[in-house]
Amino acid sequence: MADKEGNLIATGLTFALIVSRFNRFVTDKLMEGAVDAFARHGGNTGDLDVIWVPGAFEMPLAARRLAQSGRYDGLVALGAVIRGATPHFEYLCSAASSGLAGVSVETGVPVGFGLLTTDTMEQAIERAGSKAGNKGGDAMLSAVEMVNLLKAIS
Ligand code: INI
């Protein structure tokens, strides 16, 4: 039996972060978490590009174009959709999540899912670097692991 797993070494990897301007108070923190995780795992922040989009809905299209460019080993999408203030919450979350999953599967470029979908702003802040960790950092590490896993099984 041979176990294969992706490691968390980001050295030499090139990434793009797709960051939503909507709820920027939160997405700036998610971005900090993602950049910090990349650097702490050996990545060179000069190999990180940051691409701003208006909101979560626009993330899949930007992700597709970036994945197709061939310039990146992986992508990380960072955004926040908050139910309290969004009557179309379910549509937005479902369009963004299925769109991003589709980009990843169709292009073969791993996409870390750092889109917070919460009931309140307080819950979003908790997940963006306060008491519940930083989901931007978690999404970055999952993407690094998947990049390295794909290299290991290819
Ligand atoms: N976009 C978000 O990323 N988060 C939200 O909470 C949100 N709300 O509340 O509406 C949101 N809306 C904008 C949307 O993503 C698009 O940018 C917009 O509809 C234009 O296409």
Side-chain angles (χ1 to χ4, degrees):
M1 194 175 81
D3 279 8
K4 291 199 188 275
E5 228 175 2
N7 65 48
L8 297 178
I9 301 170
T11 310
L13 301 183
T14 303
F15 264 77
L17 306 180
I18 302 150
V19 191
S20 166
R21 276 198 310 272
F22 208 102
N23 291 321
R24 185 161 178 176
F25 178 73
V26 175
T27 64
D28 273 340
K29 303 282 179 213
L30 294 172
M31 184 170 67
E32 276 174 30
V35 173
D36 183 58
F38 187 70
R40 281 191 295 113
H41 287 263
N44 176 356
T45 53
D47 295 329
L48 270 184
D49 287 340
V50 178
I51 314 304
W52 292 95
V53 293
F57 186 78
E58 284 75 28
M59 288 178 153
L61 177 58
R64 174 181 295 267
R65 189 57 63 89
L66 292 164
Q68 287 170 339
S69 75
R71 289 201 303 272
Y72 301 104
D73 295 299
L75 308 174
V76 180
L78 302 170
V81 189
I82 297 167
R83 186 192 297 270
T86 316
H88 56 307
F89 177 87
E90 310 288 350
Y91 299 109
L92 203 46
C93 295
S94 133
S97 58
S98 59
L100 290 168
V103 168
S104 182
V105 171
E106 284 161 22
T107 64
V109 176
V111 181
F113 186 72
L115 176 65
L116 299 178
T117 57
T118 62
D119 287 330
T120 65
M121 176 60 91
E122 188 184 1
Q123 289 168 346
I125 291 168
E126 280 172 12
R127 291 160 177 73
S130 57
K131 70 182 180 192
N134 190 313
K135 300 298 173 200
D138 295 349
M140 170 57 81
L141 293 187
S142 296
V144 167
E145 178 173 344
M146 287 306 295
V147 169
N148 291 325
L149 176 67
L150 295 188
K151 287 184 200 278
I153 63 176
S154 294

